[in-house]
Amino acid sequence: MPHLIVEYSANLAGYPEAEALAALNAAVCASPEVKDEADLKTRFVHTSAFEIGTAPANRAFVHAELRLLAGRTPQAKADLAERVAAVLRRLTPRPAGLMVQLSVDVVDMDRPSYVKERL
Amino acid sequence: MPHLIVEYSANLAGYPEAEALAALNAAVCASPEVKDEADLKTRFVHTSAFEIGTAPANRAFVHAELRLLAGRTPQAKADLAERVAAVLRRLTPRPAGLMVQLSVDVVDMDRPSYVKERL
Amino acid sequence: MPHLIVEYSANLAGYPEAEALAALNAAVCASPEVKDEADLKTRFVHTSAFEIGTAPANRAFVHAELRLLAGRTPQAKADLAERVAAVLRRLTPRPAGLMVQLSVDVVDMDRPSYVKERL
């Protein structure tokens, strides 16, 4: 069931999306929380324009949102977030002169109303 | 007030977006939970790259997120999710050799801080 | 820590994204809730197709989602939402004959599992 959505600012050109997708899925599916590897649906969504803060600084971000059915323990959620962070920490470009922020947001999805099926 | 955001993987080429938009809005606005049809704002957001799980399989997904002001009953939320699912089940392409996953996530929005107005 | 994601319908051509980014960040970072201006990561995400309601009317929308670590008071969240709304109210185009809806959704992020770091 997990959904993983990754965004990054456009000044991180050359982001290795394909490598990141494979590494993210390997890392998250290795968690005991993921019962079936086919459940993890990871994608990149592009942002069209961005601005970080108000100071005239060279800044970039990469952000991941991991959406899971509610009911995980806080420990399990923190472990999953760290699995995602570890991949992004390793693969995110760090152009000279750019301050890059990394963040991971774990979201509980409403279990009773969630629909999931294979067509 | 509802927001409905639909994503699908790029290997579902030819997705009938216009037909789906009309059918989704008809289905959701027919619910007694939607007081004013003009409140439902449905859109597609494109994903730039995706990967499902870790096995070398041909997989696709379509996913909808329905965001509603908090306070609906579990039954109302499940009914709304099923209205969305029924449309996507009917209209999502099923290319040969592709396993297609369908999911619908219903999200409560924070009522006290929500802003809504017509400009 | 805040993430601010703004979407608008494609019939609001000429949306002043750059001006809006600067004004949104100035408005939100002026809140006492934002300790470090560099924490606010604002971006636009484009929608590929949209439909509002079921009536054959000319409609548009602009929508913002502000994601904050959980723990703010209802008053603080409402104030932040209004800061965002005030900017969008001022800068959103209002083409003749188009009914434009504005909305702001404030979302609590799970604090214990949230990852945030500078690379």
Side-chain angles (χ1 to χ4, degrees):
Chain A
M1 108 301 317
H3 291 272
L4 179 56
I5 302 104
V6 187
E7 299 169 281
Y8 58 87
S9 53
N11 54 355
L12 293 179
Y15 203 102
E17 294 190 5
E19 186 179 358
L21 287 168
L24 287 166
N25 285 16
V28 173
C29 291
S31 159
E33 297 294 326
V34 179
K35 305 304 180 198
D36 181 350
E37 53 83 27
D39 282 344
L40 179 62
K41 291 166 280 289
T42 305
R43 60 268 198 189
F44 281 89
V45 171
H46 281 182
T47 56
S48 71
F50 77 97
E51 187 155 316
I52 301 175
T54 55
N58 286 319
R59 294 164 169 171
F61 76 90
V62 57
H63 176 66
E65 184 175 309
L66 181 64
R67 302 182 72 89
L68 303 156
L69 287 177
R72 262 73 182 193
T73 66
Q75 290 75 18
K77 289 162 71 172
D79 173 72
L80 286 162
E82 176 52 30
R83 288 171 184 268
V84 171
V87 171
L88 299 178
R89 197 180 290 134
R90 178 166 65 84
L91 293 179
T92 295
R94 305 182 190 199
L98 211 52
M99 189 270 280
V100 184
Q101 294 185 49
L102 161 66
S103 49
V104 182
D105 176 15
V106 179
V107 181
D108 279 342
M109 297 191 296
D110 182 59
R111 189 179 282 271
S113 62
Y114 191 70
V115 171
K116 174 191 168 183
E117 62 191 53
R118 299 192 177 185
L119 299 182
Chain B
M1 109 299 316
H3 291 272
L4 179 56
I5 302 104
V6 187
E7 298 169 282
Y8 58 86
S9 53
N11 55 353
L12 293 179
Y15 204 102
E17 295 190 4
E19 186 180 357
L21 287 168
L24 287 166
N25 286 17
V28 173
C29 290
S31 158
E33 297 294 325
V34 178
K35 304 304 179 195
D36 181 352
E37 53 82 26
D39 281 344
L40 179 62
K41 291 165 281 288
T42 304
R43 60 266 196 190
F44 281 89
V45 171
H46 281 182
T47 56
S48 71
F50 76 97
E51 188 155 315
I52 301 174
T54 55
N58 286 319
R59 294 164 171 172
F61 75 90
V62 57
H63 176 66
E65 183 175 310
L66 180 65
R67 303 183 71 88
L68 303 156
L69 287 177
R72 264 74 182 189
T73 65
Q75 291 75 18
K77 289 161 71 170
D79 173 73
L80 286 162
E82 176 52 31
R83 289 171 183 268
V84 171
V87 171
L88 299 178
R89 196 181 292 131
R90 179 165 65 83
L91 293 180
T92 295
R94 304 180 190 200
L98 210 54
M99 189 271 278
V100 184
Q101 295 185 48
L102 161 66
S103 49
V104 182
D105 175 15
V106 179
V107 182
D108 279 341
M109 299 192 294
D110 182 57
R111 190 178 281 271
S113 63
Y114 192 69
V115 171
K116 174 192 168 184
E117 62 190 53
R118 300 193 176 184
L119 299 183
Chain C
M1 111 296 317
H3 291 272
L4 179 57
I5 302 104
V6 187
E7 298 170 282
Y8 59 88
S9 53
N11 54 355
L12 293 179
Y15 204 101
E17 294 190 5
E19 186 179 359
L21 287 168
L24 287 165
N25 285 16
V28 173
C29 290
S31 160
E33 296 294 325
V34 179
K35 304 305 180 195
D36 181 351
E37 53 82 27
D39 281 343
L40 179 63
K41 292 166 280 287
T42 304
R43 58 268 196 189
F44 282 88
V45 171
H46 281 184
T47 57
S48 72
F50 77 99
E51 188 155 315
I52 301 174
T54 55
N58 286 318
R59 293 163 170 172
F61 76 89
V62 57
H63 176 66
E65 183 174 310
L66 181 64
R67 302 183 71 89
L68 303 156
L69 287 177
R72 263 72 183 193
T73 65
Q75 290 75 18
K77 288 162 71 171
D79 172 73
L80 286 162
E82 176 52 31
R83 288 171 184 269
V84 171
V87 171
L88 299 178
R89 197 180 291 133
R90 180 166 63 84
L91 293 180
T92 295
R94 305 182 190 198
L98 211 53
M99 191 270 279
V100 184
Q101 294 184 49
L102 160 66
S103 50
V104 182
D105 176 13
V106 179
V107 181
D108 279 342
M109 298 192 295
D110 183 57
R111 190 178 281 271
S113 62
Y114 192 70
V115 171
K116 174 190 168 185
E117 61 191 52
R118 300 191 178 186
L119 300 182

